[in-house]
Amino acid sequence: MTAPPAIPTAHSARFDAAQPGSPDLLRSVFRRHAAGVAVITAADEGGRPVGFTATSLNSVSADPPLLSFTIATGSSSWPAIRDSEHLGVHILGEHQTELAGLFARSGADRFGPATGWAPGPHEVPLLDGVLAWLVCRVVARVPAGAHRVIIAEAVAGDPAGEGRPLLYHQGRFNALRD
């Protein structure tokens, strides 16, 4: 006895339209994924602060306290991240859209007069007014295409900032809605 032919459903028709894996497909899918916004900072060999906006921040393990993020090897911040033993991770609040944009913009004076910051533990540049920050020790730099996945262990921090988190969704910075 043979099974009756499958009756197409809205779901199966949708799966028939699947696109092959590609950079464009990945970008399109992740535009629909809301992500928290962080700024990663480090000091370069001369002790000058560098940093960039990251939406790839993830918790990896609570014990030991590990996190990860990615950085393009073509980024102006990559040499400092590559060579630093410690770095800063800053969780931005919805009031920090301009700061997120500044640290995302190529060629910007990220640590100019408008950016409040100070050296923290291990001389890591720490930003003012963030929701939370960590100083982390880099434990691995894993190659991943034109990027590196950085795995780092939290060694100090402060979660006590005021406000609500900034999100990145559909190619722009957003606030939470209740």
Side-chain angles (χ1 to χ4, degrees):
M1 182 173 198
T2 60
I7 298 171
T9 66
H11 291 295
S12 64
R14 186 169 175 208
F15 296 142
D16 290 341
Q19 301 173 27
S22 70
D24 286 339
L25 175 63
L26 190 69
R27 283 187 206 97
S28 293
V29 168
F30 272 86
R31 275 188 206 104
R32 296 178 174 269
H33 173 69
V37 181
V39 168
I40 310 296
T41 60
D44 70 9
E45 284 186 10
R48 292 176 300 271
V50 300
F52 67 98
T53 299
T55 58
S56 61
L57 183 66
N58 290 290
S59 171
V60 173
S61 167
D63 190 11
L66 299 175
L67 59 82
S68 70
F69 63 88
T70 61
I71 181 171
T73 56
S75 164
S76 62
S77 298
W78 168 240
I81 300 296
R82 178 193 63 213
D83 298 338
S84 292
E85 185 176 339
H86 292 89
L87 47 84
V89 176
H90 308 82
I91 307 300
L92 300 190
E94 63 187 11
H95 63 285
Q96 294 177 304
T97 301
E98 287 183 27
L99 186 67
L102 175 65
F103 276 81
R105 213 170 17 260
S106 181
D109 184 7
R110 297 172 180 159
F111 288 91
T115 304
W117 69 279
H122 301 281
E123 299 304 309
V124 170
L126 295 179
L127 301 173
D128 294 342
V130 297
L131 296 186
W133 60 265
L134 293 167
V135 169
C136 299
R137 180 181 60 83
V138 176
V139 298
R141 294 172 183 87
V142 181
H147 290 71
R148 294 297 182 269
V149 178
I150 308 301
I151 301 172
E153 181 176 11
V155 297
D158 184 356
E162 298 282 327
R164 294 163 47 108
L166 182 63
L167 299 179
Y168 189 74
H169 181 249
Q170 294 288 356
R172 54 184 245 258
F173 300 115
N174 293 278
L176 283 175
R177 284 184 258 181
D178 290 329

